Amino acid sequence: MQIPVLEGNPENTGNNNTDDTPQTGNVNVTVKDESGNPLKGVDVLVSDGITGDEYEGTTGSAGGCNINNVPVGTYELLGIKEGYEQYYGNITVVAGNNKAEFVMIEE
């Protein structure tokens, strides 16, 4: 069973720009295997199922990646790595830093 821990930064109220510049957030992703070890080489996708916009990254040796400048909103979060079950979850991105942590299960 995959249990995501997805959270925006509730302390960040965003910027107070009054212009039409879209607000964005950064998504800091950490992926581990079932034993709690960092998982390298996971393709992580933050996807808007309505517009088709996608933002992506790949985890490094510490199991993390940063996906920057994602417009605020709710997205599908996918984790893909050969030999592992695909991870699927949701994340709401707020202005500032956002965290997503999940575990991938071997097939």
Side-chain angles (χ1 to χ4, degrees), residues 1-7 77 87-91 99-103:
M1 177 182 191
Q2 299 178 8
I3 301 174
V5 177
L6 309 173
E7 57 187 37
L77 180 66
Y87 172 83
Y88 175 82
N90 291 300
I91 184 168
K99 292 182 183 179
E101 299 178 359
F102 59 89
V103 173

Short mmCIF file of all heavy atoms in Angstrom, two decimals, residues 1-7 77 87-91 99-103:
data_model
loop_
_atom_site.label_atom_id
_atom_site.label_comp_id
_atom_site.label_asym_id
_atom_site.label_seq_id
_atom_site.Cartn_x
_atom_site.Cartn_y
_atom_site.Cartn_z
N MET A 1 0.85 -1.18 0.00
CA MET A 1 0.00 0.00 0.00
C MET A 1 0.89 1.24 0.00
O MET A 1 1.81 1.34 0.79
CB MET A 1 -0.87 -0.03 1.25
CG MET A 1 -1.74 1.15 1.40
SD MET A 1 -2.59 0.89 2.96
CE MET A 1 -3.77 2.07 2.97
N GLN A 2 0.62 2.14 -0.87
CA GLN A 2 1.41 3.35 -0.98
C GLN A 2 0.68 4.48 -0.28
O GLN A 2 -0.46 4.76 -0.58
CB GLN A 2 1.66 3.71 -2.43
CG GLN A 2 2.43 2.65 -3.17
CD GLN A 2 2.61 3.00 -4.62
OE1 GLN A 2 2.30 4.10 -5.05
NE2 GLN A 2 3.11 2.07 -5.39
N ILE A 3 1.36 5.11 0.66
CA ILE A 3 0.76 6.22 1.40
C ILE A 3 1.59 7.47 1.13
O ILE A 3 2.73 7.57 1.56
CB ILE A 3 0.71 5.93 2.90
CG1 ILE A 3 -0.09 4.65 3.15
CG2 ILE A 3 0.13 7.12 3.65
CD1 ILE A 3 -0.10 4.18 4.56
N PRO A 4 1.04 8.42 0.37
CA PRO A 4 1.81 9.62 0.06
C PRO A 4 1.80 10.61 1.23
O PRO A 4 0.86 10.66 2.01
CB PRO A 4 1.06 10.21 -1.13
CG PRO A 4 -0.34 9.77 -0.91
CD PRO A 4 -0.24 8.40 -0.27
N VAL A 5 2.90 11.33 1.33
CA VAL A 5 2.96 12.45 2.26
C VAL A 5 3.17 13.67 1.39
O VAL A 5 4.26 13.91 0.90
CB VAL A 5 4.13 12.30 3.27
CG1 VAL A 5 4.20 13.50 4.17
CG2 VAL A 5 3.98 11.02 4.06
N LEU A 6 2.11 14.40 1.15
CA LEU A 6 2.16 15.53 0.24
C LEU A 6 1.67 16.76 0.97
O LEU A 6 0.58 16.77 1.52
CB LEU A 6 1.25 15.28 -0.97
CG LEU A 6 1.47 13.95 -1.69
CD1 LEU A 6 0.41 13.77 -2.74
CD2 LEU A 6 2.84 13.90 -2.29
N GLU A 7 2.49 17.78 0.97
CA GLU A 7 2.06 18.97 1.69
C GLU A 7 2.65 20.22 1.08
O GLU A 7 3.79 20.24 0.67
CB GLU A 7 2.48 18.87 3.15
CG GLU A 7 3.98 18.67 3.33
CD GLU A 7 4.36 18.40 4.76
OE1 GLU A 7 3.61 17.71 5.45
OE2 GLU A 7 5.42 18.87 5.15
N LEU A 77 0.60 13.39 -9.46
CA LEU A 77 2.02 13.15 -9.21
C LEU A 77 2.31 11.70 -9.57
O LEU A 77 1.67 10.79 -9.04
CB LEU A 77 2.35 13.41 -7.74
CG LEU A 77 3.80 13.19 -7.32
CD1 LEU A 77 4.71 14.21 -7.99
CD2 LEU A 77 3.92 13.31 -5.80
N TYR A 87 3.94 4.76 -9.26
CA TYR A 87 3.32 5.49 -8.15
C TYR A 87 2.36 6.53 -8.73
O TYR A 87 2.67 7.21 -9.70
CB TYR A 87 4.37 6.19 -7.29
CG TYR A 87 3.73 7.09 -6.26
CD1 TYR A 87 3.26 6.56 -5.07
CD2 TYR A 87 3.52 8.44 -6.53
CE1 TYR A 87 2.61 7.36 -4.15
CE2 TYR A 87 2.87 9.24 -5.62
CZ TYR A 87 2.42 8.71 -4.43
OH TYR A 87 1.76 9.50 -3.53
N TYR A 88 1.20 6.68 -8.09
CA TYR A 88 0.24 7.70 -8.51
C TYR A 88 -0.32 8.37 -7.26
O TYR A 88 -0.72 7.71 -6.31
CB TYR A 88 -0.90 7.07 -9.31
CG TYR A 88 -1.98 8.06 -9.65
CD1 TYR A 88 -1.85 8.90 -10.73
CD2 TYR A 88 -3.12 8.16 -8.86
CE1 TYR A 88 -2.83 9.83 -11.05
CE2 TYR A 88 -4.11 9.09 -9.16
CZ TYR A 88 -3.95 9.92 -10.26
OH TYR A 88 -4.92 10.84 -10.55
N GLY A 89 -0.30 9.69 -7.26
CA GLY A 89 -0.87 10.46 -6.16
C GLY A 89 -1.26 11.83 -6.65
O GLY A 89 -1.25 12.10 -7.86
N ASN A 90 -1.61 12.70 -5.74
CA ASN A 90 -1.97 14.08 -6.06
C ASN A 90 -1.17 15.03 -5.17
O ASN A 90 -0.77 14.66 -4.07
CB ASN A 90 -3.47 14.32 -5.82
CG ASN A 90 -4.32 13.56 -6.80
OD1 ASN A 90 -4.22 13.76 -8.00
ND2 ASN A 90 -5.16 12.68 -6.30
N ILE A 91 -0.97 16.23 -5.67
CA ILE A 91 -0.30 17.25 -4.88
C ILE A 91 -0.91 18.60 -5.21
O ILE A 91 -1.23 18.88 -6.38
CB ILE A 91 1.23 17.26 -5.12
CG1 ILE A 91 1.91 18.28 -4.20
CG2 ILE A 91 1.56 17.52 -6.58
CD1 ILE A 91 3.42 18.18 -4.16
N LYS A 99 6.65 19.90 -0.48
CA LYS A 99 7.32 18.61 -0.34
C LYS A 99 6.42 17.48 -0.80
O LYS A 99 5.21 17.51 -0.58
CB LYS A 99 7.69 18.35 1.12
CG LYS A 99 8.75 19.25 1.66
CD LYS A 99 9.07 18.87 3.09
CE LYS A 99 10.09 19.81 3.67
NZ LYS A 99 10.38 19.47 5.08
N ALA A 100 7.03 16.50 -1.44
CA ALA A 100 6.33 15.27 -1.80
C ALA A 100 7.28 14.12 -1.49
O ALA A 100 8.43 14.12 -1.93
CB ALA A 100 5.95 15.26 -3.27
N GLU A 101 6.81 13.18 -0.69
CA GLU A 101 7.61 12.00 -0.34
C GLU A 101 6.75 10.77 -0.60
O GLU A 101 5.58 10.75 -0.22
CB GLU A 101 8.02 12.04 1.13
CG GLU A 101 8.87 13.24 1.46
CD GLU A 101 9.22 13.30 2.95
OE1 GLU A 101 8.79 12.43 3.72
OE2 GLU A 101 9.94 14.24 3.32
N PHE A 102 7.34 9.77 -1.26
CA PHE A 102 6.59 8.54 -1.47
C PHE A 102 7.53 7.34 -1.59
O PHE A 102 8.73 7.49 -1.79
CB PHE A 102 5.63 8.64 -2.65
CG PHE A 102 6.25 8.97 -3.99
CD1 PHE A 102 6.71 7.95 -4.82
CD2 PHE A 102 6.33 10.27 -4.42
CE1 PHE A 102 7.25 8.26 -6.06
CE2 PHE A 102 6.86 10.60 -5.67
CZ PHE A 102 7.32 9.57 -6.48
N VAL A 103 6.92 6.16 -1.42
CA VAL A 103 7.64 4.89 -1.49
C VAL A 103 7.20 4.16 -2.75
O VAL A 103 6.01 4.13 -3.07
CB VAL A 103 7.31 4.03 -0.24
CG1 VAL A 103 7.91 2.64 -0.37
CG2 VAL A 103 7.80 4.73 1.02
#
